[in-house]
């Protein structure tokens, strides 16, 4: 009974290996499609420069919070001019609020703090707050939310 | 188990008689198992049953949409007959389940019960622990009060910081870029369908593995502690005591409800439930990548601990002492971080 099919064994092994890989590849591709089904596509951003109003409406040393095109934003007017920051804390995505007394953005989730230029100065946030360009056209302020 | 003589297994001159199902139930346990901490695994099992039952009942009223979720929880708590009690049972059972899973883990760790043949018991048990924690997270997100909402934001963001797989994983869980109604629906599905099925299977598997593999041998311990009726009685008594405690806890501390979710304003106290507060403090105190990696690394080390033990004891480490030390430090750090979270 003991017939040694050396070549046949090798051939069979190779063919089975190729079949196996093919099967795995096919199944993997299919599985990937299922994952794609579950992971939603990001929505396209439509807005560009959004009018927020006259510069004089933003009081000095105060930050106005607003929502523009899905971005939660804080517009701060300080001695250095008007700047728009994303309210999303760069640590874990809680919303920062402006503390007028300390002149800092404060995140309540992990006590992260940012100064008035958006720089991270305390707590776990790894980088400064995201900034949006503020464009001034004829006394009116526009926030360019494209680069969020 | 191997060398242990089992009086319930009848043998004849022809060899062992075919086992009846009762023999599996009446399987003898090593003598040291009459120490009551060895019944700690039965408590989470009991609580899991309560969680499934009360959870099913809650789904009759709960609506997983951002407009209705909070309102429906409010209705369950304040409108439906005994709704507060069912929700309270569900809530406290989670707390106690996690607490007793942790006690069970500590008991297994300190007595080194994960040693051969227990590796699979430990690994399957640690997955049970992680899935239970995931159930806790998805569960408290469903309430959709302000703490829930921002908890979802923070936890999904944390997953997003894992390299490569993090961002797709975050999108997968959120169902979009932001925490939204889609996120709530996904967490609802996870909490009421996928994870319970997974947890049920894992718990069943874990119990079966424990029954089949048996227990690590302890020197001087002989197998004269029958599973039925002695051990079952003890587990039953402990479980009934637990039910009484649970009922009392719900009556004394009926479940409350925070202010509804507000995507514009972060909850003033975003502290997670106690079982996440240590991890929460950990990520607060340590810089971002380090804290996450140490948590993931710690979890990984936890899963493979039986193999670490085997490796180190082969090199002559006194593992009983090491474990007592590691266990004390781990529990101390956990409790310390929890206290710190309470203060802050």
């Amino acid at each position: 009974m003991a017939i040694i099919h050396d070549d046949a064994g090798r051939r069979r092994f190779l063919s089975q290996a190729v079949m196996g890989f093919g099967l795995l590849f096919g199944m993997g591709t299919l599985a990937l499609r299922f994952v794609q089904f579950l992971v939603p596509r990001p929505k396209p951003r439509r807005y560009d420069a959004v009018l927020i109003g006259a510069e004089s409406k933003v009081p000095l040393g105060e930050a106005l919070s607003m929502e523009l095109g899905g971005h939660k934003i804080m517009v701060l007017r300080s001695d250095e001019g008007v700047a728009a920051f994303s309210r999303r804390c760069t640590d874990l995505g809680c919303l920062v609020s402006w503390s007028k007394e300390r002149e800092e953005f404060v995140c309540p989730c992990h006590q992260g703090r940012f100064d008035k230029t958006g720089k991270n100065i305390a707590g776990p946030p790894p980088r400064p707050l995201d900034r949006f360009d503020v464009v001034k056209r004829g006394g009116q302020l526009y926030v360019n939310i494209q680069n969020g | 188990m191997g060398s242990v003589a089992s009086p319930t297994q009848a043998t004849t001159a022809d060899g062992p008689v075919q086992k009846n199902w009762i023999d599996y139930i009446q399987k003898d346990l090593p003598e040291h198992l009459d120490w009551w901490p060895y019944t700690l695994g039965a408590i989470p099992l009991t609580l899991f049953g309560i969680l499934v039952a009360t959870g099913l009942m809650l789904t009759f009223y709960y609506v997983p949409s951002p407009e209705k979720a909070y309102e429906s929880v409010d209705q369950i708590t304040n409108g439906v007959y005994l709704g507060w009690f069912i929700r309270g049972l569900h809530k406290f059972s989670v707390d106690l389940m996690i607490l007793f899973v942790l006690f069970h883990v500590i008991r297994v760790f300190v007595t080194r019960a994960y040693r051969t043949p227990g590796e699979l018991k430990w690994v399957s048990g640690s997955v049970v622990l992680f899935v239970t924690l995931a159930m806790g997270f998805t569960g408290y997100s469903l309430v959709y009060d302000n703490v829930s909402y921002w908890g979802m934001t923070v936890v999904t963001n944390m997953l997003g910081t894992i390299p490569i797989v993090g961002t797709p994983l975050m999108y997968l869980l959120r169902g979009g870029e932001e925490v939204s109604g889609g996120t709530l629906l996904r967490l609802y599905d996870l909490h009421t369908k996928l994870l319970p099925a997974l947890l049920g299977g894992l718990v069943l598997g874990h119990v079966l593995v424990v029954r089949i593999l048996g227990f690590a041998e302890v020197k001087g311990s002989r197998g004269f502690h029958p599973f039925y009726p002695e051990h079952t009685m003890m587990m039953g008594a402990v479980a009934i005591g637990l039910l009484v405690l649970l009922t009392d806890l719900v009556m004394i501390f009926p479940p409350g409800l925070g202010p509804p979710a507000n995507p514009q304003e972060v909850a003033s106290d975003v502290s997670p439930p106690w079982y996440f507060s240590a991890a929460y403090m950990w990520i607060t105190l340590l810089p971002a990548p380090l804290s996450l990696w140490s948590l993931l690394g710690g979890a990984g080390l936890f899963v493979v601990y039986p193999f670490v033990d085997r490796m180190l004891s082969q090199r002559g480490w006194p593992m009983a002492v090491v474990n007592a030390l590691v266990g004390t430090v781990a529990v101390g750090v956990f409790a310390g971080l929890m206290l710190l979270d309470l203060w802050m």
Side-chain angles (χ1 to χ4, degrees):
Chain A
M1 281 301 284
I3 306 161
I4 299 161
H5 289 296
D6 228 345
D7 292 345
R10 187 173 300 142
R11 186 174 299 161
R12 212 171 128 200
F13 170 75
L14 279 173
S15 103
Q16 279 180 353
V18 170
M19 294 265 276
F21 273 120
L23 201 66
L24 275 182
F25 184 76
M27 302 250 279
T29 315
L30 196 64
L32 205 65
R33 294 299 174 202
F34 276 104
V35 173
Q36 269 182 306
F37 167 79
L38 291 173
V39 179
R41 228 176 273 196
K43 277 189 206 134
R45 300 221 176 269
R46 283 169 300 171
Y47 302 92
D48 194 4
V50 182
L51 174 71
I52 56 164
E55 189 178 356
S56 53
K57 281 202 177 162
V58 186
L60 189 72
E62 289 222 43
L64 293 180
S65 80
M66 56 190 73
E67 192 166 345
L68 302 178
H71 292 288
K72 295 189 178 93
I73 286 175
M74 258 194 175
V75 179
L76 172 75
R77 189 166 151 225
S78 61
D79 321 324
E80 289 131 50
V82 183
F85 298 98
S86 166
R87 285 188 69 191
R88 188 202 292 264
C89 176
T90 51
D91 178 32
L92 290 173
C94 290
L95 295 182
V96 298
S97 41
W98 174 251
S99 157
K100 200 180 170 186
E101 310 83 65
R102 294 198 292 192
E103 294 204 309
E104 278 170 2
F105 293 101
V106 183
C107 175
C109 287
H110 295 103
Q111 283 77 46
R113 302 213 313 268
F114 304 87
D115 69 8
K116 56 186 171 182
T117 65
K119 199 171 155 267
N120 45 325
I121 48 175
R127 58 187 170 86
L129 287 174
D130 291 330
R131 266 184 98 137
F132 298 91
D133 293 337
V134 178
V135 190
K136 205 170 132 186
R137 279 183 221 147
Q140 299 289 320
L141 292 176
Y142 294 81
V143 172
N144 189 350
I145 57 171
Q146 193 80 88
N147 57 358
Chain B
M1 278 304 276
S3 62
V4 169
S6 180
T8 52
Q9 265 177 40
T11 43
T12 62
D14 306 325
V17 173
Q18 200 187 358
K19 273 196 189 173
N20 202 343
W21 61 270
I22 196 77
D23 295 328
Y24 287 99
I25 295 174
Q26 284 192 318
K27 196 170 179 174
D28 270 358
L29 306 174
E31 191 182 28
H32 66 269
L33 256 75
D34 64 4
W35 189 39
W36 73 267
Y38 282 91
T39 60
L40 277 173
I43 294 177
L45 191 62
T46 313
L47 289 166
F48 182 62
I50 297 174
L51 282 165
V52 171
T54 51
L56 263 171
M57 290 164 91
L58 290 173
T59 58
F60 281 74
Y61 288 101
Y62 181 75
V63 186
S65 90
E67 293 83 27
K68 291 279 177 65
Y70 181 81
E71 201 184 296
S72 63
V73 176
D74 188 40
Q75 199 213 344
I76 289 168
T77 315
N78 300 312
V80 178
Y81 175 68
L82 279 187
W84 65 274
F85 188 71
I86 301 296
R87 183 170 164 235
L89 271 182
H90 198 70
K91 230 175 144 223
F92 265 113
S93 298
V94 186
D95 287 333
L96 290 184
M97 180 169 171
I98 292 172
L99 185 69
F100 280 98
V101 167
L102 289 179
F103 283 157
H104 181 51
V105 168
I106 292 169
R107 196 280 295 161
V108 170
F109 186 80
V110 171
T111 58
R112 294 171 74 213
Y114 50 72
R115 276 172 299 167
T116 317
E119 289 93 342
L120 192 57
K121 292 196 283 184
W122 176 270
V123 173
S124 64
S126 54
V127 181
V128 169
L129 173 64
F130 295 144
V131 177
T132 307
L133 289 174
M135 283 295 273
F137 163 66
T138 51
Y140 87 78
S141 297
L142 297 188
V143 179
Y144 217 64
D145 59 7
N146 215 8
V147 177
S148 297
Y149 183 88
W150 290 103
M152 283 191 251
T153 309
V154 167
V155 172
T156 46
N157 253 309
M158 239 164 87
L159 282 176
T161 53
I162 300 171
I164 306 165
V165 291
T167 313
L169 202 63
M170 186 173 86
Y171 270 66
L172 182 69
L173 213 57
R174 284 187 176 177
E177 276 174 281
E178 301 287 332
V179 172
S180 63
T183 317
L184 183 65
L185 193 59
R186 277 168 190 236
L187 294 184
Y188 175 75
D189 268 358
L190 284 175
H191 187 77
T192 57
K193 301 179 184 92
L194 197 69
L195 291 180
L198 185 65
L199 191 58
L202 280 169
V203 167
L204 187 72
H206 182 68
V207 172
L208 281 180
V209 163
V210 172
R211 295 303 291 157
I212 291 166
L213 292 181
F215 300 91
E217 276 178 46
V218 170
K219 265 180 206 156
S221 175
R222 293 171 309 155
F224 292 132
H225 180 64
F227 180 74
Y228 183 87
E230 270 83 346
H231 202 68
T232 319
M233 278 283 280
M234 254 166 78
M235 295 201 306
V238 167
I240 287 171
L242 178 82
L243 286 179
V244 174
L245 173 76
L246 193 60
T247 311
D248 288 346
L249 280 173
V250 177
M251 308 260 268
I252 298 168
F253 306 104
L257 197 56
N262 180 1
Q264 304 301 329
E265 214 49 64
V266 182
S268 56
D269 179 22
V270 280
S271 282
W274 66 270
Y275 41 89
F276 287 130
S277 61
Y280 178 81
M281 261 340 273
W282 186 255
I283 59 170
T284 308
L285 295 176
L286 267 76
L290 182 66
S291 56
L292 185 74
W293 283 113
S294 54
L295 281 181
L296 288 176
L301 187 67
F302 179 80
V303 175
V304 299
Y305 197 82
F307 309 101
V308 174
D309 177 299
R310 191 194 295 165
M311 210 174 69
L312 291 181
S313 42
Q314 273 165 2
R315 293 183 187 181
W317 287 48
M319 285 313 285
V321 182
V322 171
N323 272 17
L325 212 69
V326 170
T328 311
V329 169
V331 171
V333 168
F334 193 84
L337 287 169
M338 260 171 74
L339 280 178
L340 202 61
D341 185 49
L342 275 181
W343 280 336
M344 285 176 74

